């Protein structure tokens, strides 16, 4: 299984495989054409409340715990399972606007997809 995390602001690469935007909001300054996003499962993104809490100074460890709890909800769990199946067949690149992608929800998703 091959899953990686990249910033959406980086140019697409041939080896990206399926490009999945995992942010709830479309990133500023990036056209949809340039981004070449294949999937945008908004149901896998952290809730607005959780994102705000984290950006206001919440700890990454607590964010991870709360986000994983949100991913247990039926819609999110179904989307996660579908993405996991895709990752078993093809390379998947999770795209985020986060300045520190590995320490964001995208990093959590990458770890969960690898399990």
């Amino acid at each position: 299984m091959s899953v990686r995390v990249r910033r959406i602001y980086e140019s697409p690469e041939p080896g990206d495989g399926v490009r999945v935007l995992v942010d709830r909001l479309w990133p500023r300054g990036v056209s949809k054409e340039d981004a070449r996003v294949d999937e945008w499962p908004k149901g896998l993104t952290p809730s607005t409340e959780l994102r705000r809490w984290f950006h206001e100074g919440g700890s990454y460890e607590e964010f991870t715990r709360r986000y994983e709890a949100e991913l247990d909800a039926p819609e999110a769990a179904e989307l996660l399972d579908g993405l996991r199946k895709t990752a078993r067949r093809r390379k998947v690149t999770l795209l985020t606007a986060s300045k520190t992608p590995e320490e964001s929800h995208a990093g959590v998703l990458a770890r969960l997809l690898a399990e």
Side-chain angles (χ1 to χ4, degrees), residues 51-101:
R51 282 187 304 109
R52 286 183 181 151
W53 174 84
F54 184 53
H55 292 296
E56 290 172 359
S59 73
Y60 183 68
E61 292 77 22
E62 180 63 15
F63 168 80
T64 298
R65 188 188 68 71
R66 292 181 185 190
Y67 181 43
E68 287 178 357
E70 288 185 356
L71 291 172
D72 285 338
E75 178 191 359
E78 185 176 328
L79 288 168
L80 185 61
D81 187 50
L83 192 53
R84 190 175 284 123
K85 288 176 183 173
T86 299
R88 287 185 184 130
R89 296 186 320 267
R90 300 184 58 197
K91 179 180 273 188
V92 170
T93 298
L94 304 178
L95 302 168
T96 182
S98 174
K99 291 179 182 175
T100 54

Side-chain angles (χ1 to χ4, degrees), residues 1 67-68 71 80 84 106-115:
M1 182 176 306
Y67 181 43
E68 287 178 357
L71 291 172
L80 185 61
R84 190 175 284 123
V108 175
L109 280 175
R111 181 179 49 79
L112 292 174
L113 288 172
E115 291 179 348

Side-chain angles (χ1 to χ4, degrees), residues 28-49:
R28 291 182 184 161
V30 178
S31 74
K32 291 186 180 181
E33 183 178 313
D34 290 341
R36 294 197 358 228
V37 169
D38 297 307
E39 296 180 25
W40 189 12
K42 293 179 188 177
L44 277 180
T45 64
S47 66
T48 300
E49 297 78 17

Side-chain angles (χ1 to χ4, degrees), residues 1-8 10-22 36 83 87 90-96 101-102 105-111 113-114:
M1 182 176 306
S2 179
V3 177
R4 71 178 181 164
V5 177
R6 296 185 66 210
R7 293 196 73 219
I8 186 103
E10 298 175 67
S11 297
E13 295 178 354
D16 283 345
V18 179
R19 292 173 53 86
V20 182
L21 178 61
V22 293
R36 294 197 358 228
L83 192 53
R90 300 184 58 197
K91 179 180 273 188
V92 170
T93 298
L94 304 178
L95 302 168
T96 182
E102 296 299 333
H105 65 289
V108 175
L109 280 175
R111 181 179 49 79
L113 288 172

